[in-house]
Amino acid sequence: MEIPATQTAVQVTAFGFDNFKVAQTPVPSPGNGEVLVRISVRPLNPSDVFCVLGVYPGYKPKGFPAVLGLEGTGQVAKLGPGCSGRLAEGQRVVAVNWRQAAEGNGTWQQFLVAREEDLVPVPDDLSDEAACQALINPVPVIGMFQDLAAPQGEYVIITAAGSALGRMALRYARHIGVKTIATCRRAEQVSELKEAGADEVFVLTSDADSEAMAARVSELTGGKGAWGAMDSVAGRSPLLVAPSVRQGGSIIVYGAMSEPGVEWHVGQALFRMVALKGFWLVPWLDAQPIEAQREMISKVLQLMKEGVLPPAKVDVRPLEEVAAALRDQGQVGRTDKIVLRG
Ligand SMILES: NC(=O)c1ccc[n+]([C@@H]2O[C@H](COP(=O)([O-])OP(=O)(O)OC[C@H]3O[C@@H](n4cnc5c(N)ncnc54)[C@H](OP(=O)(O)O)[C@@H]3O)[C@@H](O)[C@H]2O)c1
């Protein structure tokens, strides 16, 4: 691959939505055990919005201008000295962690240096647009089902199940024999979520919805309640979900689509012993040896191909138009994942 002297990079000059700049920057060189990757596509995730706002704990730029972007797919452009021979130039790869991204040197640019040991080859029959979604959404699906350890045949509640991650969770649950109760905020999404693999679907936005759901879940589970829940909405959502969760069950709050706070009732904790827990991909993956991290991503890529972790449909935009793409990211009812190509 011909490597130019400079590249296109989308920089931010400060936190906030109005501080983007498209710049030409030098292409870096890979050091010992490192690989230069030509990034081709990157998905936009809710975590990118938190990065832009400066509130994502996984993004602490050393200074400005900085480059955002925590995930992406690319091609090996150049192997640095001391690489093992596991990868070849031209090979398509994803990373278990684009480590420089956390410091403000992320995937919203054309070339990025990665540690060779962090890179995983992409199978030939998986598109760049699918492969670029292999880290941030699928890994928590696997991790949270491991944490909940629901026995086969039990129900798990997934809130905002129409999200890209939620849809993967619905399919993955089927794969491991767990039943799902999906919730959403729009009635028109109910039939769509049944088609996406949910066993039961509820609109859940009010106390009345919460009571109706708890009554039906009680019927479905012989009075026991759902084994546990995964919530990405926060705010009042865990409180609305809790009456449907079994005594002693857990609600994993892994996102904050509504607000950063969580409303809770001591009765759920004290008398029903329902636990609120968190899940964050970064420490969960990092706690494992690097070989296990690579195996996890290889497994995800395979499960994506098999439709067990279906990649979201994509809306491809030019890299340079990231500011407009970020505005569209917040639209209610957006169906496709925005990916940036360039
Ligand atoms: N903890 C972790 O390690 C981790 C890792 C990855 C992702 N996440 C979290 O997972 C969540 C999903 O990510 P994604 O990329 O799959 O998202 P996505 O595809 O952009 O979907 C967002 C979903 O959230 C729904 N939503 C937005 N605001 C809502 C609200 N106030 N009340 C109810 N529903 C609301 C949307 O519903 P409509 O269709 O009605 O608009 C949509 O279905 C995010 O919260 C993200 O931060 C966490």
Side-chain angles (χ1 to χ4, degrees), residues 181 202 211-226 243-244:
I181 297 162
F202 296 90
E211 275 172 39
M213 180 166 114
R216 176 73 183 127
V217 172
S218 178
E219 272 172 28
L220 286 168
T221 57
K224 203 168 49 172
S244 295

Side-chain angles (χ1 to χ4, degrees), residues 46 50 55 159-160 231-235 237-238 253-262:
F50 295 137
V55 297
T159 67
D231 176 59
S232 62
V233 178
S237 186
V253 182
Y254 69 96
M257 297 304 298
S258 66
E259 53 167 305
V262 163

Side-chain angles (χ1 to χ4, degrees), residues 185-186 315 317 324-335 338:
R185 61 178 170 178
R186 294 179 293 116
D315 169 2
R317 310 282 185 94
L326 267 168
R327 278 196 296 274
D328 294 346
Q329 168 76 7
Q331 273 173 4
V332 173
R334 174 179 45 78
T335 52
I338 298 173

